[in-house]
Amino acid sequence: MSLESEADLPGEALLPGTLPAALRAELVAFRRDLHMHPELGNQEFRTTAAIKARLEQAGLKPRVLAIGTGLICDIGEWDGGRPMLALRADIDALPIPDTKSECAYRSTVPGRAHACGHDVHTTVVLGAGLVLAELHKQGLLPRPVRLLFQPAEEVLPGGAADAIECGVLDGVGRIVAVHCDPKVDAGRIGLRHGAITSACDRLEVSLDGPGGHTARPHLTTDLVTAAARVATDVPALVGRRVDSRSGLAVTWGRIETGHAPNVIPQHAELSGTVRCLDLETWRQAPDIVVAAIDEIANLHRAKSEITYVRGVPPVVNDPVVTDLLRDAMTARLGADAVESTEQSLGGEDFSWYLEHVPGAMARLGVRTPGERTVRDLHQGDFDADESAITVGVEMFTAAALLDAAE
């Protein structure tokens, strides 16, 4: 099914479910309230309560997840027939300070910020739910839709796994999501068939050996040199043991060792991430990376202890569901509002849902058109053009209606 042949018609003529001005203003205010009160993964009690209260105000029956935060809410009642479409949002913030100096809605919580746009994601799904609830009252929503507000996306291996254990996919046949993209203009989305994010794992390495005086390194295990060689040689070694197109990469974020300039230490630590573009290579990555670390450590007579923490696989967009989002956006803003996007090296636990049901994630443009400065994700000054909220809501409502019509 495609609406491209009708793309010259106004979006509202094709489908109901556009956003009234009053609700548009309310959603901007809701997003700003979340932005001012960010909560970390599995601590999103205020956020969960705010979402629940607004859905209940609309006459809906949200259910808080058994893990204590996050919730699901069905628009309409599933009769056990054709599975539902789920709209997913992540609700947690990051443990970094908000550095926006001239912003009335900057974070009020020290060291906490919605610097990844989860407040926008949450508001988009909430808004779509409120619009779809009104359509349901009018008899214009042929099939039920599930709203999923997931906690702890930023906590490896991601809150999605816990949400799935809570049964959030029961009765769900497809799932969609958006992620803010500060490189895409507001009013547009980025789509891609296949992998749109990468796998991401965490790596912790401890090196130990007898230390000593820097005047006699031959009598020691030189852990400073050993740590340096692990840091530089392991990424290169790993890159030569897999197909380069898989994009397997080890990147270090922390190295600690030593306390004095003339003392060779007895202990060193490194920590970093392992990222991979390819799902099959990701499945082999722990064995490849651990073997490379052990080889370098043994070469320098250092005892290694490695903690390899599985994170998330790549988000692999299902072509049919991706085209559903494309058709939905085309219905609202025309085919020119959709652009192709590249695969990101970032990780996203939305991938865990796609191990169970087909789905797709769209990149939601949040850059103000004409703005040259990119306020990148996971930076303290990140912000979003709030017109993107309307775009996300109307795309999701269109997707729900088109999915029901198939």
Side-chain angles (χ1 to χ4, degrees), residues 116-160:
C116 200
H118 293 189
D119 53 335
V120 175
H121 307 166
T122 299
T123 305
V124 164
V125 173
L126 173 66
L130 296 176
V131 173
L132 291 171
E134 186 60 32
L135 292 179
H136 178 63
K137 291 177 184 177
Q138 299 172 22
L140 297 176
L141 184 64
R143 295 184 183 276
V145 176
R146 173 164 294 167
L147 313 179
L148 165 54
F149 300 91
Q150 176 215 303
E153 189 277 330
E154 299 287 355
V155 181
L156 286 179

Side-chain angles (χ1 to χ4, degrees), residues 12 35 41 46 96 126 148 177-178 236 270 273 298 333:
E12 288 125 9
H35 201 84
R46 182 186 185 279
I96 64 175
L126 173 66
L148 165 54
V178 294
L270 303 90
T273 60
N298 290 337
L333 293 174

Side-chain angles (χ1 to χ4, degrees), residues 38-187:
E39 297 174 301
L40 299 184
N42 297 315
Q43 301 173 26
E44 312 96 331
F45 298 105
R46 182 186 185 279
T47 303
T48 298
I51 300 165
K52 182 173 182 287
R54 185 59 184 92
L55 292 171
E56 289 176 337
Q57 183 184 338
L60 299 170
K61 297 179 179 180
R63 294 168 281 163
V64 176
L65 302 185
I67 49 180
T69 60
L71 64 158
I72 60 172
C73 182
D74 292 349
I75 315 295
E77 186 173 348
W78 185 53
D79 60 5
R82 178 183 166 187
M84 292 178 284
L85 175 71
L87 314 179
R88 175 267 198 175
D90 37 13
I91 66 176
D92 57 323
L94 285 162
I96 64 175
D98 189 333
T99 60
K100 298 189 295 293
S101 58
E102 298 180 4
C103 179
Y105 51 87
R106 65 179 297 189
S107 172
T108 61
V109 184
R112 305 285 186 268
H114 268 297
C116 200
H118 293 189
D119 53 335
V120 175
H121 307 166
T122 299
T123 305
V124 164
V125 173
L126 173 66
L130 296 176
V131 173
L132 291 171
E134 186 60 32
L135 292 179
H136 178 63
K137 291 177 184 177
Q138 299 172 22
L140 297 176
L141 184 64
R143 295 184 183 276
V145 176
R146 173 164 294 167
L147 313 179
L148 165 54
F149 300 91
Q150 176 215 303
E153 189 277 330
E154 299 287 355
V155 181
L156 286 179
D162 291 331
I164 292 168
E165 287 292 320
C166 291
V168 299
L169 292 181
D170 293 348
V172 169
R174 293 174 169 181
I175 188 167
V176 293
V178 294
H179 198 296
C180 289
D181 191 335
K183 300 186 296 299
V184 176
D185 283 350

Side-chain angles (χ1 to χ4, degrees), residues 42 61 94 128 130 177 196 219 222 287 300 310 346 371 374 389:
N42 297 315
K61 297 179 179 180
L94 285 162
L130 296 176
I196 193 171
L219 301 179
D222 187 351
D287 291 339
H300 293 272
R310 267 309 203 190
E371 184 178 9
V374 175
I389 294 171

Side-chain angles (χ1 to χ4, degrees), residues 61-377:
K61 297 179 179 180
R63 294 168 281 163
V64 176
L65 302 185
I67 49 180
T69 60
L71 64 158
I72 60 172
C73 182
D74 292 349
I75 315 295
E77 186 173 348
W78 185 53
D79 60 5
R82 178 183 166 187
M84 292 178 284
L85 175 71
L87 314 179
R88 175 267 198 175
D90 37 13
I91 66 176
D92 57 323
L94 285 162
I96 64 175
D98 189 333
T99 60
K100 298 189 295 293
S101 58
E102 298 180 4
C103 179
Y105 51 87
R106 65 179 297 189
S107 172
T108 61
V109 184
R112 305 285 186 268
H114 268 297
C116 200
H118 293 189
D119 53 335
V120 175
H121 307 166
T122 299
T123 305
V124 164
V125 173
L126 173 66
L130 296 176
V131 173
L132 291 171
E134 186 60 32
L135 292 179
H136 178 63
K137 291 177 184 177
Q138 299 172 22
L140 297 176
L141 184 64
R143 295 184 183 276
V145 176
R146 173 164 294 167
L147 313 179
L148 165 54
F149 300 91
Q150 176 215 303
E153 189 277 330
E154 299 287 355
V155 181
L156 286 179
D162 291 331
I164 292 168
E165 287 292 320
C166 291
V168 299
L169 292 181
D170 293 348
V172 169
R174 293 174 169 181
I175 188 167
V176 293
V178 294
H179 198 296
C180 289
D181 191 335
K183 300 186 296 299
V184 176
D185 283 350
R188 300 175 63 80
I189 64 163
L191 286 176
R192 177 185 177 89
H193 285 184
I196 193 171
T197 71
S198 301
C200 180
D201 299 336
R202 193 175 75 240
L203 190 59
E204 303 284 343
V205 180
S206 294
L207 301 176
D208 291 282
H213 201 292
T214 56
R216 293 176 289 278
H218 60 290
L219 301 179
T220 73
T221 293
D222 187 351
L223 285 181
V224 175
T225 297
R229 295 307 295 265
V230 167
T232 57
D233 291 355
V234 167
L237 195 57
V238 164
R240 290 296 179 268
R241 295 189 172 176
V242 296
D243 188 323
S244 298
R245 292 171 295 182
S246 70
L248 183 62
V250 176
T251 305
W252 304 104
R254 182 180 69 94
I255 302 178
E256 292 186 16
T257 187
H259 300 284
N262 61 343
V263 178
I264 294 175
Q266 298 179 355
H267 183 73
E269 294 181 356
L270 303 90
S271 59
T273 60
V274 180
R275 298 180 187 271
C276 185
L277 300 174
D278 176 71
L279 182 60
E280 289 308 312
T281 302
W282 176 72
R283 300 190 194 283
Q284 305 167 31
D287 291 339
I288 295 169
V289 172
V290 168
I293 293 170
D294 282 339
E295 283 184 32
I296 302 300
N298 290 337
L299 184 64
H300 293 272
R301 297 183 298 170
K303 179 182 178 182
S304 60
E305 183 175 331
I306 304 163
T307 302
Y308 194 108
V309 181
R310 267 309 203 190
V312 294
V315 171
V316 182
N317 280 351
D318 177 80
V320 174
V321 184
T322 303
D323 287 344
L324 173 68
L325 293 179
R326 184 183 305 277
D327 288 345
M329 192 66 173
T330 298
R332 296 303 190 198
L333 293 174
D336 289 343
V338 182
E339 62 182 63
S340 297
T341 191
E342 62 186 8
Q343 184 178 3
S344 164
L345 278 169
E348 234 290 351
D349 76 350
F350 184 69
S351 54
W352 290 124
Y353 300 114
L354 305 188
E355 298 279 300
H356 300 270
V357 297
M361 171 173 281
R363 297 245 170 84
L364 180 67
V366 295
R367 179 179 63 190
T368 300
E371 184 178 9
R372 295 184 177 181
T373 302
V374 175
R375 297 172 180 262
D376 204 4
L377 302 172

